[in-house]
Amino acid sequence: MKVVDKMNAAQKAGELFFSFEFFPPRTEEGVENLFDRMDRMATHDPTFCDITWGAGGTTADLTLEIAGKMQNMVCVETMMHLTCTNMPQDKLREALDKLKEVGIQNILALRGDPPKGQDNFEAVEGGFACALDLVKYIRENYGDYFGITVAGYPEAHPEVITDDAEEMERAYQSDLQYLKQKVDAGAQVIITQLFYDVEKFIKFTQDCRALGIECPIIPGVMPIMTYGGFKRMTGFCKTHVPKDVEAALESIKDNDEAVKNFGIDLGTRMCKRILDSGTPGLHMYTLNTERSSVAILENLGLINKSQLNRSLPWRQPTNERRKAEQVRPIFWANRPKSYINRTSDWDKYPQGRWGNAKSPAYGTLNDYQFMRRHTNSSKRQEKAKQCWGASLSKIDDVNKVFVKYAQGDLGMLPWSEMEGFHRETGTIQSQLQQLNTQGYLTINSQPQVNGAPSTDAKVGWGGPDGYVYQKAYVEFFISPEKLENLEQRLQKQSSITYMAIDSKGKVTLVNIAFAQSKQHSALHHTDDTCARTCPDALCCF
């Protein structure tokens, strides 16, 4: 979906909105950690998140890869920066085609910085020299498919900023005229360069409106996180820093924590003034960190960590192909990204039952990074060893790992993409501890819910004034000896539905009618030895 449509809908409803910006990390480990951070920050329901192209176009391939996963795995509306730097038209077309392929509809079109080692920007052969030409190219070749955002400069572009007042005013007005040309060529949203003088942003917005620019103008807000980083960024962008801000920072520049807290306080005051002026939203330059941006939005009342609303029990897909998806198997609850990846080639998504596991469209997980997220790098392998133990020589060692996880002493298990439990699992944590202590090694579960409000902080989902009902469910590993004993007890409980599968995928115990048919192997696939029980319910496999 185009972010301009989301913004316009929010404004029509009288709602404020916000978004987050990230950049491609330099290392594989950094990329993995960024996805974890994005996942957490996406729970706050930003209107969109964007990913930068990288200085001089140096991270083009990585940016494309991250953008695709943001849209389809993190499930957040994604905007990708696209610059003219080192990008002839054939490469631009390749990048734009890739965005269409992965379902991304939003682009921030920029000229970009000069390539590394060059002082001035020069267009590559067959490329463009400015963002205006890029906007025109996208519209001419892709019509209305993409929503195009462009940059605005409340203090004028850094390359034209000067100390001469008259010359500066001419440069500022020329910059506004150029911005109007970009909008007239097809840009639909403006996001501004960072600033620390709010009055300059308000004047910039008023000047844009006076020129007939009517699209959303969203301020780019960069919280001050470190003194050195602040000085470098404001120096590079030639940003005006009010004297009171400069003086306050100078007095605390050697105290990192004080600088960060000052940045949060200043950011909160700036954003309040911006919103009070009638601006409908904020774009947070996160610098790939979480604390400052989230704290500012909390202070403004735009997010509430204690009440995170969900339209569905899982994060709503942003890919247009999956938006009608209404049902998912419960035993994938702890592995949402793996499920999305495994079903990405499906032509349509289920409304109640699942297809044939032997179908070529039912993908493999063998090479999928999220399935190996705890061990897919040397650092993560070391972290896993510290968490689970370098050597598990006997069953009792394995049991202790599960018990510690159920107690909350460990934050991860190989069978979960989640860090720790779901919120709702806290209501049955003591029972899970008992099960694991007795050798029932749980990997998935949900509590019984009987008419809880849809706004409930732990189990709620869906729109207001609704109610949540769900069956109790648990999935666990169990030894053959314990299973034999459990079977005798289960047979006396007619309200419990159950299925047990061995390590070879053979159903060894079941009281589900359809699973006893010849089709059961096509309806369910597993590589684990496990049992599933679900009181008063039919588990869909």
Side-chain angles (χ1 to χ4, degrees), residues 173-466:
Q173 293 299 329
S174 176
D175 225 32
L176 287 176
Q177 292 293 338
Y178 177 62
L179 180 59
K180 177 70 161 58
Q181 287 180 285
K182 290 192 287 187
V183 173
D184 290 344
Q188 298 165 300
V189 177
I190 297 168
I191 294 178
T192 75
Q193 174 77 285
L194 66 98
F195 58 88
Y196 292 99
D197 188 336
V198 174
E199 300 312 310
K200 287 185 179 293
F201 167 78
I202 294 174
K203 179 181 181 301
F204 169 75
T205 301
Q206 293 170 344
D207 291 342
C208 287
R209 300 305 186 213
L211 274 179
I213 297 174
E214 299 179 353
C215 67
I217 301 173
I218 310 303
V221 180
M222 183 175 288
I224 299 172
M225 302 180 200
T226 65
Y227 177 80
F230 167 76
K231 296 295 284 187
R232 284 191 298 273
M233 187 60 71
T234 54
F236 176 76
C237 297
K238 299 182 182 179
T239 307
H240 170 69
V241 180
K243 290 182 179 179
D244 61 326
V245 173
E246 196 165 18
L249 277 172
E250 284 297 321
S251 67
I252 58 173
K253 65 181 181 181
D254 296 322
N255 186 330
D256 292 344
E257 188 65 18
V259 169
K260 187 165 289 188
N261 289 335
F262 173 78
I264 293 171
D265 178 66
L266 175 66
T268 301
R269 287 186 280 116
M270 286 176 58
C271 291
K272 187 176 188 307
R273 173 74 178 105
I274 289 167
L275 296 175
D276 287 346
S277 74
T279 302
L282 305 166
H283 184 63
M284 308 301 295
Y285 294 126
T286 71
L287 299 180
N288 287 6
T289 65
E290 185 173 358
R291 174 185 162 186
S292 296
S293 294
V294 170
I296 290 169
L297 295 172
E298 270 195 294
N299 291 343
L300 296 167
L302 295 182
I303 63 175
N304 184 349
K305 286 184 177 179
S306 65
Q307 188 171 0
L308 301 176
N309 296 324
R310 304 179 296 171
S311 58
L312 288 168
W314 59 87
R315 189 172 299 149
Q316 184 79 34
T318 52
N319 188 305
E320 292 294 328
R321 292 179 58 244
R322 299 192 77 113
K323 279 197 170 180
E325 186 177 8
Q326 297 289 323
V327 181
R328 286 186 184 175
I330 185 176
F331 47 86
W332 284 93
N334 288 335
R335 295 180 289 169
K337 296 181 181 64
S338 299
Y339 177 75
I340 290 171
N341 182 74
R342 195 160 188 170
T343 60
S344 61
D345 292 332
W346 285 10
D347 295 326
K348 60 181 180 179
Y349 295 92
Q351 301 298 311
R353 292 188 181 277
W354 279 262
N356 192 334
K358 296 179 180 178
S359 166
Y362 196 75
T364 178
L365 293 176
N366 293 339
D367 61 351
Y368 185 54
Q369 67 177 47
F370 289 105
M371 197 58 194
R372 298 175 288 114
R373 67 186 305 273
H374 301 309
T375 57
N376 60 4
S377 70
S378 57
K379 288 185 178 179
R380 292 199 173 211
Q381 287 174 9
E382 187 59 34
K383 182 180 178 181
K385 288 180 181 179
Q386 293 175 1
C387 183
W388 304 326
S391 176
L392 303 176
S393 58
K394 52 186 182 295
I395 293 295
D396 190 51
D397 294 336
V398 177
N399 290 357
K400 288 178 180 178
V401 171
F402 279 85
V403 171
K404 287 182 178 179
Y405 182 78
Q407 292 171 339
D409 297 331
L410 301 181
M412 59 184 185
L413 278 182
W415 298 275
S416 177
E417 296 167 2
M418 322 296 291
E419 295 289 341
F421 288 139
H422 287 276
R423 285 177 294 168
E424 66 176 22
T425 309
T427 62
I428 56 171
Q429 189 169 356
S430 61
Q431 291 96 318
L432 294 175
Q433 290 176 25
Q434 293 178 21
L435 283 172
N436 282 277
T437 301
Q438 295 171 20
Y440 300 90
L441 309 182
T442 61
I443 59 174
N444 202 355
S445 61
Q446 74 173 22
Q448 181 187 40
V449 178
N450 187 20
S454 59
T455 55
D456 185 90
K458 291 184 177 179
V459 301
W461 62 274
D465 303 322

Side-chain angles (χ1 to χ4, degrees), residues 28-60:
E28 183 178 346
E29 184 78 6
V31 172
E32 293 296 324
N33 290 333
L34 177 61
F35 280 122
D36 291 343
R37 180 154 290 163
M38 284 179 179
D39 218 20
R40 291 195 302 271
M41 296 178 76
T43 62
H44 301 303
D45 197 23
T47 298
F48 69 94
C49 292
D50 71 345
I51 184 76
T52 67
W53 192 245
T58 54
T59 62

Side-chain angles (χ1 to χ4, degrees), residues 140-186:
E140 288 170 2
N141 289 274
Y142 293 88
D144 194 42
Y145 176 81
F146 289 109
I148 302 177
T149 298
V150 291
Y153 298 88
E155 302 174 48
H157 194 283
E159 291 179 1
V160 301
I161 291 178
T162 177
D163 292 331
D164 185 288
E166 290 186 7
E167 188 177 341
M168 185 65 245
E169 180 60 23
R170 285 194 296 271
Y172 174 75
Q173 293 299 329
S174 176
D175 225 32
L176 287 176
Q177 292 293 338
Y178 177 62
L179 180 59
K180 177 70 161 58
Q181 287 180 285
K182 290 192 287 187
V183 173
D184 290 344

Side-chain angles (χ1 to χ4, degrees), residues 101-122:
E101 182 183 324
V102 298
I104 293 175
Q105 287 189 273
N106 299 288
I107 293 171
L108 178 53
L110 303 161
R111 186 202 70 180
D113 299 323
K116 189 174 182 180
Q118 296 182 20
D119 294 329
N120 300 311
F121 185 92
E122 293 182 8

